[in-house]
C-alpha cells in the first residue's frame, strides 16, 4: 500500500558511485512505499529504457514520479513528459543518487540521503518551478556550450580546457545586441552545475528569469584556476565587476556563432543540439516538485 494518498512511481537509475548502498536505498523505499510494481529500473544498455518505463508509468495512472538518480535521468523524464503533454499533470520528486545531483541540491535535498528525501515525499510539500528550453529541448538546471564535440571520449577536465577555443558569438536579447569572443556560456535556471560549480547562487528556478554567464577569452591557466577554486565552493563570478565574465539576466536569449557549438543540458549532450550555429534559450513553462520544508 502506498504511504500517502498519492500514487507514486520510482524511476531508478542509481549511479555506480552509489552502488554499495543500492540495497539500503531500495529497502527504505519499499518500507514506506511497499508496492513492487511502483519500482522501475533503468537499463543502462538500452538507450530508450527511461522512456519505455515512463510510458508504462503514465499508462498505469501514477500521479507522482520520483527519480532515484541524478540530473540526466531527471532531464530525460522532464522532456518525455513535456513531449507527451503530461508535465503539468504529474508531480516530480528526487532521491539524489546520481553522478551529479545539482538540481536536488538547489531544492535542499542532500545527495546520498534517501531517508531525508523519503520524509519529504511523505510530507508532500509541492512547489512550482520554471522549466527552460533551448531550441526544442527542455531543461531544469542549466544549459550551455564550451566543450568541443563532447560526444567524443573525454580525456579529462584539463584536456577539455586546453582544447577550448574562443568562439565569435552574437548575442541578442530584449533590446540588447552584443558581439564578442567567448570560451563558454552557461544559461542557469538554477545555480549549480558540474557537481557543485556555480557562477552565482542568485539563480533561482522559482522566478521568471534566466541568468546567462558568458566567459570571455582569457589565459587557460586563469580559467583552470577559476574552475579549481569553483570546485571548492567559490563562485566563478567573483563580483559583479568581474570583467572576464559577462552576465545577462533575462527571459530569452538568441546566440549565433561563427563556429559549430555543442549545447549540453543538465550535464548531458543532446544529439539534436550538436554542431549548431544558432540556439535560443528561454523560459518555457512550469512543473511541480516535492520539496523539503527547508526550501
Amino acid at each position: 500500500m502506498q504511504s500517502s494518498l498519492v500514487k507514486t512511481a520510482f524511476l531508478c537509475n542509481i549511479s555506480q558511485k552509489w552502488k554499495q548502498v543500492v540495497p539500503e536505498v531500495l529497502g527504505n523505499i519499499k518500507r514506506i512505499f511497499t508496492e513492487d510494481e511502483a519500482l522501475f529500473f533503468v537499463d543502462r544498455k538500452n538507450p530508450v529504457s527511461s522512456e519505455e518505463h515512463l510510458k508504462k508509468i503514465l499508462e498505469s495512472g501514477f500521479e507522482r514520479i520520483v527519480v532515484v538518480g541524478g540530473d540526466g535521468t531527471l532531464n530525460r523524464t522532464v522532456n518525455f513528459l513535456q513531449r507527451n503533454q503530461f508535465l503539468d499533470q504529474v508531480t516530480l520528486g528526487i532521491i539524489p543518487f546520481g553522478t551529479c545531483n545539482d538540481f536536488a541540491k538547489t531544492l535542499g535535498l542532500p545527495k546520498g540521503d534517501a531517508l531525508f528525501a523519503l520524509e519529504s515525499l511523505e510530507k508532500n510539500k509541492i512547489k512550482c518551478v520554471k522549466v527552460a528550453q533551448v531550441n526544442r529541448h527542455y531543461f531544469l538546471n542549466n544549459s550551455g556550450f564550451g566543450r568541443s564535440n563532447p560526444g567524443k571520449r573525454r580525456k579529462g577536465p584539463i584536456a577539455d580546457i586546453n582544447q577550448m577555443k574562443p568562439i565569435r558569438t552574437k548575442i541578442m536579447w530584449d533590446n540588447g545586441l552584443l558581439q564578442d569572443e567567448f570560451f563558454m556560456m552557461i544559461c542557469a535556471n538554477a545555480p549549480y552545475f558540474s557537481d557543485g560549480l556555480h557562477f552565482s547562487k542568485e539563480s533561482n528556478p522559482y522566478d521568471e528569469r534566466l541568468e546567462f554567464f558568458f566567459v570571455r577569452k582569457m589565459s587557460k591557466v586563469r580559467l583552470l584556476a577559476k574552475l579549481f577554486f569553483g570546485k571548492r565552493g567559490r563562485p566563478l563570478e567573483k563580483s559583479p565587476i568581474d570583467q572576464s565574465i559577462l552576465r545577462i539576466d533575462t527571459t530569452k536569449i538568441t546566440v549565433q556563432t561563427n563556429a559549430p557549438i555543442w549545447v549540453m543540458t543538465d550535464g548531458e549532450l543532446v544529439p539534436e543540439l550538436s554542431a549548431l550555429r544558432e540556439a535560443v534559450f528561454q523560459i518555457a513553462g512550469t512543473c511541480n516538485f516535492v520539496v523539503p520544508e527547508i526550501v
Side-chain angles (χ1 to χ4, degrees), residues 194-229:
S194 193
D195 202 19
L197 282 172
H198 65 285
F199 284 96
S200 168
K201 291 183 180 180
E202 295 174 10
S203 301
N204 185 346
Y206 308 115
D207 65 17
E208 295 284 348
R209 301 181 74 78
L210 297 169
E211 285 71 50
F212 295 83
F213 299 92
F214 292 83
V215 179
R216 288 189 168 95
K217 181 181 177 181
M218 67 180 77
S219 74
K220 299 294 180 66
V221 172
R222 186 181 178 195
L223 182 55
L224 279 169
K226 277 183 171 289
L227 295 173
F228 175 82
F229 288 112

Side-chain angles (χ1 to χ4, degrees), residues 78-79 81-83 85-90 92 103 127-141 189 204-210 251-252 281-289:
V78 166
N79 276 276
L81 294 173
Q82 180 67 23
R83 287 195 303 270
Q85 300 180 348
F86 271 92
L87 189 57
D88 60 348
Q89 298 182 41
V90 298
L92 295 172
F103 194 72
K127 200 160 185 180
C128 179
V129 306
K130 303 301 178 185
V131 179
Q133 179 182 8
V134 50
N135 293 1
R136 290 188 292 178
H137 192 83
Y138 295 83
F139 63 95
L140 287 168
N141 201 50
N189 187 40
N204 185 346
Y206 308 115
D207 65 17
E208 295 284 348
R209 301 181 74 78
L210 297 169
T251 57
K252 180 179 180 180
F281 301 82
Q282 60 189 319
I283 292 290
T286 61
C287 63
N288 291 320
F289 266 87

Side-chain angles (χ1 to χ4, degrees), residues 167-172 177-180 182 253-258:
I167 300 171
R168 189 70 182 173
T169 306
K170 181 179 180 180
I171 310 167
M172 295 166 282
L177 174 64
L178 184 146
Q179 296 189 65
D180 206 340
F182 301 98
I253 269 184
T254 299
V255 298
Q256 296 175 345
T257 60
N258 69 339

Side-chain angles (χ1 to χ4, degrees), residues 15-68:
S15 168
Q16 282 294 103
K17 73 177 182 180
W18 300 106
K19 63 181 180 180
Q20 72 277 8
V21 298
V22 169
E24 178 184 349
V25 173
L26 297 180
N28 286 328
I29 292 173
K30 289 181 180 180
R31 181 171 57 83
I32 300 174
F33 296 82
T34 56
E35 294 183 18
D36 286 343
E37 59 268 27
L39 295 173
F40 298 82
F41 297 92
V42 173
D43 180 359
R44 292 172 179 265
K45 297 180 181 179
N46 178 1
V48 294
S49 177
S50 296
E51 288 76 8
E52 291 172 350
H53 285 315
L54 288 165
K55 186 174 184 294
K56 293 177 184 177
I57 288 169
L58 295 180
E59 290 173 346
S60 300
F62 286 97
E63 304 164 78
R64 184 167 62 184
I65 301 173
V66 178
V67 170
V68 189

Side-chain angles (χ1 to χ4, degrees), residues 219-252:
S219 74
K220 299 294 180 66
V221 172
R222 186 181 178 195
L223 182 55
L224 279 169
K226 277 183 171 289
L227 295 173
F228 175 82
F229 288 112
K231 279 292 187 182
R232 283 150 180 78
R234 180 186 297 181
L236 301 185
E237 184 193 40
K238 292 189 295 184
S239 72
I241 59 172
D242 184 352
Q243 295 300 307
S244 66
I245 296 174
L246 169 67
R247 174 174 176 165
I248 302 172
D249 295 6
T250 186
T251 57
K252 180 179 180 180

Side-chain angles (χ1 to χ4, degrees), residues 152-170:
K152 293 182 177 179
R153 185 177 179 84
R154 293 193 66 182
K155 297 180 180 179
I158 294 178
D160 287 341
I161 297 297
N162 284 333
Q163 291 174 2
M164 280 187 176
K165 297 180 180 179
I167 300 171
R168 189 70 182 173
T169 306
K170 181 179 180 180

